[in-house]
């Protein structure tokens, strides 16, 4: 490297160093630069924070969108003010509340309650609640938590809508028919993504505090029961006297009814309620003015896509057999609901009598415009006319035994010892056979009439036609008719004395005296003594009836009273028109005829005689064995 080159590099370096020194910032400029750098760092940091916040907001928005599948979608519908919508016709008035979208109050028109109100209120918001529960992916959707918006409101229709936004909504459509039937459909719209892919069932919870509607609390309570209908046929009910809490029903059902004596609230599903439903029925105390605390936990079909709405029909009305048959015909579900079973007609035999005889007779007699008191008298006369031939035959059998009593006493006097009673019975049966008398004939009328009595025992207290009907001194044939009342219940009696109950029990005592006297006239030997021992039981029974029937309806007591009155009148007439001398002459002629042409006994009499002979033979064998042992 030569000298000139070295000098050139030195000069360049000097220029660069000098320029760098000249360009060096002052202290003030350095401070300003540092401040500028700090601001930039803050701005950068803020930008980073804003970015993170934006990302967090975006994520929160995404999470909120994801939660549209749960009840958070109904945040808007979970706030509001409850309003009422009234559906009504000439038979019923139903108040629906927008809070929950269900019937809050049900009034059945033109039926007075025991307080004298012109209409019957089945329930209101304090008594009853109904909610439908849908299990979403995140949380449950419970209709009782939602406020619905009403639309299409008329006297008989309303649409209730709970919105979840973005086209998602739950729609309830109500249509009230011309009588007591309310149709409801529940449909989901745009909500299929809110549920699991295989979700197809919703839960229902229905509770009701069943009100007292009649004057006789205990009598009404005994005829109020939670009733349900099995899908494959058959109507069941929970025992009125027992307490049930979440009793499991292991079969599918299609309706559940909260029933009191004369009115019911029924919820019918188009499909079915799944098995394992839980039903509750708790009897209440008299001072509560409520009969039962009812509850039902049910499951039924639900389509999240909304293609197949879930449909129900509600019946809020009277337990009238013929009306319930008509209601079933008007149902749009086309099912054999057997709603008329809400009118209890008794066990199978008695239900058949009431279903195919009593109801038709009541319908026929009431069609003539007779009052219900006259109807009870006429139906009693009709039953007495139907059974009269059997009653007369029974009486004549007893009369034959009565006129034969002196001959029986003479023929069996040698068998008065206790050990000879079997022989005495054989001798009596032999004489009855010779004279053509059946000692069992007197039991036939009782056997025939007892099912009718029991059938009426089941029908009259459940016949709403008697409700509010007056006759003579009875202001209401469906409840008791007190001649005196007091404030607190007395054990076995209650808080009143019923006049028709007293009349029935007195008539029972007099009729028992008449029948016992008649039976005594035909008893032989120790039979008469045994009859004396049974008399106290015959007197005790009317007393027991008093304690039982004092709470019962005056219509039922009146029916039993007039039935006994006509029975006594028939027996008295037959006694007065029977000539004992002529009857004995007929029996003597029969005896002579049988003596010439002896006939073997047949039927029950022959079997009874054979049993008596067998028993006598066994008795002789025992006596022989005893004698051998003593030896």
């Amino acid at each position: 490297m030569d000298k000139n080159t070295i000098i050139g590099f030195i000069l360049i370096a000097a220029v660069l160093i000098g320029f760098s020194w000249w360009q060096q910032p002052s202290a003030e400029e350095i401070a300003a630069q540092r401040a500028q750098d700090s601001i930039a760092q803050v701005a950068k940091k803020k930008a980073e924070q804003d970015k993170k916040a934006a990302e967090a907001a975006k994520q929160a928005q995404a999470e909120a969108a994801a939660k549209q599948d749960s009840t958070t979608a109904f945040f808007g519908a979970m706030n509001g003010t409850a309003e009422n919508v009234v559906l009504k016709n000439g038979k019923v008035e139903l108040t629906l509340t927008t809070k929950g979208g269900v019937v809050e109050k049900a009034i059945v028109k033109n039926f007075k309650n025991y307080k004298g109100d012109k209409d019957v209120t089945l329930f209101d918001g304090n008594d009853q609640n109904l909610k439908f529960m849908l299990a979403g992916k995140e949380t449950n959707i419970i209709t009782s938590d939602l406020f619905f918006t009403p639309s299409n409101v008329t006297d008989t229709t309303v649409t209730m809508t709970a919105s979840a936004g973005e086209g998602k909504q739950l729609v309830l459509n109500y249509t009230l028919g011309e009588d007591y039937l309310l149709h409801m459909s529940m449909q989901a719209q745009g909500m299929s993504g809110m549920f699991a892919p295989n979700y197809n069932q919703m839960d229902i919870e229905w509770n009701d505090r069943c009100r007292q509607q009649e004057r006789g609390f205990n009598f009404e309570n005994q005829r109020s029961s939670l009733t349900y209908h099995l899908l494959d046929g058959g109507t069941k009910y929970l025992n009125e006297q027992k307490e049930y809490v979440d009793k499991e029903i292991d079969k599918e059902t299609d309706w559940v009814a909260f029933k009191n004596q004369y009115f019911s609230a029924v919820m019918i599903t188009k499909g079915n309620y799944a098995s394992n439903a839980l039903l509750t029925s708790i009897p209440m105390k008299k001072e509560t003015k409520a009969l039962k605390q009812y509850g039902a936990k049910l499951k039924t079909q639900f389509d999240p896509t909304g293609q197949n709405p879930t449909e129900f029909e509600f019946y809020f009305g009277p337990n009238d057999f013929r009306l319930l048959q008509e209601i079933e015909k008007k149902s749009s579900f086309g099912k054999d609901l057997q709603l008329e079973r809400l009118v209890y007609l008794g066990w199978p035999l008695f239900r058949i009598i009431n279903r195919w005889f009593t109801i038709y007779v009541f319908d026929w007699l009431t069609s003539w415009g007779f009052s219900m008191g006259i109807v009870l008298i006429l139906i009693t006369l009709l039953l007495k006319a139907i059974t009269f031939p059997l009653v007369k035959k029974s009486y004549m059998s007893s009369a034959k035994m009565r006129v034969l009593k002196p001959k029986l006493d003479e023929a069996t006097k040698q068998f008065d010892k206790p050990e000879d009673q079997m022989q005495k019975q054989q001798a009596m049966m032999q004489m009855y056979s010779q004279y053509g008398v059946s000692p069992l004939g007197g039991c036939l009328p009782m056997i025939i009439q007892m099912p009718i009595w029991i059938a009426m025992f089941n029908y009259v207290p459940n016949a709403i036609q008697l409700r509010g009907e007056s006759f003579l001194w009875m202001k209401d044939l469906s409840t008791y008719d007190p001649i005196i009342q007091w404030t607190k219940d007395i054990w076995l009696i209650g808080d009143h004395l019923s006049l028709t109950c007293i009349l029935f029990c007195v008539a029972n005592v007099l009729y028992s005296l008449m029948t016992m006297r008649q039976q005594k006239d035909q008893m032989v030997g120790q039979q008469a003594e045994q009859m004396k021992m049974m008399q106290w039981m015959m007197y005790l029974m009317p007393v027991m009836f008093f304690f039982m029937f004092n709470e019962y309806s005056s219509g039922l007591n009146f029916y039993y009273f007039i039935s006994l009155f006509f029975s006594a009148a028939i027996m008295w007439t037959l006694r007065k028109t029977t000539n004992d001398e002529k009857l004995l002459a007929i029996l003597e002629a029969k005896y002579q005829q049988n003596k010439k042409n002896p006939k073997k006994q047949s039927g029950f009499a022959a079997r009874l005689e054979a049993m008596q002979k067998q028993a006598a033979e066994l008795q002789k064998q025992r006596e022989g064995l005893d004698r051998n042992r003593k030896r």
Side-chain angles (χ1 to χ4, degrees):
M1 182 182 296
D2 58 13
K3 181 179 179 181
N4 293 329
T5 301
I6 295 171
I7 294 171
F9 278 119
I10 293 171
L11 291 173
I12 292 170
V15 171
L16 291 173
I17 293 171
F19 182 79
S20 298
W21 178 80
W22 182 70
Q23 290 291 330
Q24 184 177 0
S26 62
E28 291 81 0
E29 289 177 333
I30 292 173
Q33 183 63 39
R34 289 176 177 172
Q36 185 67 29
D37 291 342
S38 178
I39 292 172
Q41 290 177 358
V42 171
K44 183 179 179 181
K45 187 176 181 179
K46 184 176 184 303
E48 291 176 353
Q49 291 176 345
D50 290 343
K51 183 179 179 181
K52 290 180 179 179
E55 290 176 353
K58 186 176 181 180
Q59 184 178 356
Q61 186 176 0
E63 291 176 356
K67 289 183 179 180
Q68 291 292 319
D69 294 338
S70 67
T71 52
T72 54
F74 285 95
F75 272 147
M78 296 179 73
N79 298 282
T81 302
E83 299 177 1
N84 291 333
V85 177
V86 177
L87 304 182
K88 59 184 178 180
N89 55 29
K91 304 289 184 65
V92 68
E93 181 177 304
L94 306 176
T95 301
L96 287 80
T97 174
T98 57
K99 176 68 185 302
V102 295
V103 177
E104 183 182 54
K105 184 177 183 180
I107 296 176
V108 182
K109 297 181 180 179
N110 305 317
F111 286 93
K112 293 182 179 180
N113 63 11
Y114 74 103
K115 296 179 181 178
D117 300 331
K118 65 176 184 178
D119 299 321
V120 166
T121 300
L122 287 187
F123 58 81
D124 60 21
N126 297 322
D127 302 321
Q128 187 259 12
N129 64 79
L130 170 64
K131 58 186 176 182
F132 303 92
M133 296 170 285
L134 307 172
K137 290 179 180 177
E138 299 293 332
T139 56
N140 291 335
I141 301 169
I142 304 176
T143 57
S144 59
D145 295 335
L146 305 180
F147 288 85
F148 289 76
T149 302
S151 60
N152 303 324
V153 180
T154 68
D155 281 347
T156 57
T157 62
V158 64
T159 298
M160 296 279 194
T161 305
S163 177
E166 299 182 4
K168 298 178 176 66
Q169 55 189 14
L170 191 62
V171 181
L172 310 178
N173 282 300
Y174 289 95
T175 302
L176 178 63
E178 60 185 7
D179 37 45
Y180 303 96
L181 203 60
L182 175 70
H183 184 274
M184 170 198 168
S185 68
M186 175 186 289
Q187 188 173 23
Q189 296 181 358
M191 295 173 56
S192 58
M194 299 172 63
F195 303 96
N198 60 346
Y199 184 75
N200 61 1
Q201 201 172 56
M202 70 174 174
D203 291 270
I204 305 169
E205 191 169 314
W206 187 26
N207 296 287
D208 180 34
R209 186 172 178 267
C210 184
R211 290 187 173 190
Q212 178 186 354
Q213 304 291 355
E214 314 305 324
R215 180 165 59 180
F217 176 86
N218 293 330
F219 189 68
E220 184 183 9
N221 206 351
Q222 292 167 5
R223 282 150 187 82
S224 302
S225 60
L226 192 154
T227 308
Y228 57 96
H229 185 260
L230 301 178
L231 188 64
D232 57 0
T235 305
K236 306 291 184 180
Y237 66 95
L238 302 185
N239 189 297
E240 303 91 341
Q241 306 296 325
K242 295 182 179 179
E243 179 176 312
Y244 300 89
V245 178
D246 288 343
K247 175 180 173 58
E248 185 173 328
I249 308 302
D250 59 1
K251 293 185 178 181
E252 295 180 336
T253 57
D254 52 16
W255 59 257
V256 174
F258 294 164
K259 172 185 175 294
N260 63 7
Q261 185 177 2
Y262 291 120
F263 301 92
S264 289
V266 188
M267 184 166 64
I268 310 162
T269 180
K270 185 176 182 179
N272 65 281
Y273 297 123
S275 57
N276 303 322
L278 302 177
L279 303 180
T280 295
S281 176
I282 303 174
M284 306 293 283
K285 294 183 178 180
K286 186 175 183 179
E287 55 267 21
T288 65
K289 302 298 182 182
L291 304 171
K292 299 283 195 311
Q293 180 63 52
Y294 288 137
K297 297 176 182 178
L298 311 165
K299 293 180 182 292
T300 193
Q301 297 86 349
F302 176 73
D303 182 5
T305 68
Q307 295 179 1
N308 300 303
T310 305
E311 296 185 61
F312 301 92
E313 285 178 336
F314 294 88
Y315 175 80
F316 303 110
N319 299 329
D320 185 313
F321 189 91
R322 295 300 187 196
L323 172 64
L324 289 166
Q325 287 182 319
E326 292 300 318
I327 290 294
E328 183 166 327
K329 294 177 182 178
K330 295 177 181 179
S331 170
S332 61
F333 296 163
K335 302 169 71 173
D336 184 14
L337 298 171
Q338 296 182 310
L339 287 172
E340 68 274 8
R341 289 293 186 91
L342 288 170
V343 181
Y344 182 70
L345 299 178
W347 291 352
L349 172 62
F350 312 124
R351 183 168 65 242
I352 291 171
I353 295 172
N354 286 324
R355 173 68 179 85
W356 301 107
F357 174 78
T358 310
I359 291 177
Y360 280 98
V361 172
F362 263 79
D363 291 345
W364 176 60
L365 292 175
T366 52
S367 68
W368 288 83
F370 296 121
S371 69
M372 293 311 301
I374 298 297
V375 168
L376 289 173
I377 294 174
L378 292 177
I379 198 172
T380 305
L381 288 172
L382 179 60
L383 290 172
K384 293 302 178 185
I386 292 173
T387 58
F388 178 75
L390 295 173
V391 171
K392 183 177 180 180
K393 184 177 180 179
S394 171
Y395 174 81
M396 294 308 297
S397 178
S398 299
K400 290 174 184 179
M401 294 171 68
R402 182 181 68 248
V403 297
L404 285 176
K405 183 176 181 297
K407 291 181 176 292
L408 288 171
D409 287 338
E410 182 64 25
T412 60
K413 62 182 180 180
Q414 68 270 29
F415 303 119
D416 282 344
K417 295 180 180 179
E419 60 269 20
D420 296 334
Q421 290 306 303
M422 188 63 69
Q423 293 176 313
K424 184 174 185 177
Q425 289 292 330
Q426 289 178 349
M428 290 171 58
M429 292 299 296
Q430 182 65 31
M431 285 195 67
Y432 285 143
S433 176
Q434 292 171 346
Y435 282 92
V437 176
S438 174
L440 301 176
C443 303
L444 188 60
M446 183 60 68
I447 295 173
I448 295 298
Q449 292 185 77
M450 187 58 69
I452 297 175
W453 270 53
I454 298 175
M456 293 297 288
F457 176 82
N458 287 293
Y459 178 76
V460 172
N462 295 298
I464 196 170
Q465 292 82 357
L466 273 68
R467 188 179 187 274
E469 292 289 322
S470 61
F471 184 68
L472 299 177
W473 68 89
M474 296 166 281
K475 295 181 179 179
D476 186 349
L477 290 170
S478 70
T479 187
Y480 57 81
D481 55 324
I483 55 173
I484 185 172
Q485 287 183 282
W486 48 88
T487 55
K488 293 184 179 180
D489 285 355
I490 297 177
W491 184 61
L492 294 178
I493 297 178
D495 60 359
H496 66 276
L497 289 178
S498 173
L499 178 57
T500 50
C501 178
I502 294 173
L503 290 175
F504 162 49
C505 293
V506 170
N508 203 352
V509 170
L510 296 177
Y511 185 72
S512 297
L513 284 170
M514 179 183 294
T515 54
M516 282 191 295
R517 182 176 299 174
Q518 179 178 316
Q519 291 173 359
K520 184 178 179 180
D521 291 341
Q522 66 193 42
M523 295 296 177
V524 178
Q526 287 193 350
Q527 290 180 337
E529 297 298 322
Q530 293 172 355
M531 189 64 189
K532 292 180 181 179
M533 297 173 62
M534 293 180 62
Q535 284 182 358
W536 68 271
M537 294 182 62
M538 302 297 291
Y539 293 124
L540 181 61
M541 187 171 292
V543 176
M544 295 172 60
F545 280 159
F546 170 78
F547 293 118
M548 180 187 298
F549 285 86
N550 191 48
E551 282 266 6
Y552 276 44
S553 66
S554 57
L556 183 63
N557 281 320
F558 181 68
Y559 165 75
Y560 283 154
F561 166 69
I562 57 177
S563 179
L564 285 170
F565 174 81
F566 286 127
S567 294
I570 291 170
M571 297 297 288
W572 182 84
T573 303
L574 289 173
R575 182 71 179 88
K576 290 297 182 180
T577 55
T578 300
N579 189 314
D580 288 358
E581 294 180 358
K582 289 183 179 181
L583 181 60
L584 182 59
I586 293 172
L587 291 176
E588 290 290 354
K590 185 73 172 179
Y591 173 76
Q592 295 300 327
Q593 182 181 355
N594 289 336
K595 190 174 181 181
K596 295 177 182 179
N597 302 296
K599 296 181 181 179
K600 292 184 178 180
Q601 294 191 34
S602 60
F604 183 79
R607 291 193 295 271
L608 181 61
E609 183 178 6
M611 290 171 61
Q612 288 178 340
K613 289 181 179 180
Q614 186 178 8
E617 185 64 27
L618 289 172
Q619 181 66 27
K620 289 181 179 179
Q621 292 178 3
R622 291 193 190 97
E623 291 175 355
L625 290 173
D626 290 340
R627 285 193 295 268
N628 291 333
R629 289 193 187 98
K630 290 178 180 179
R631 291 176 184 176

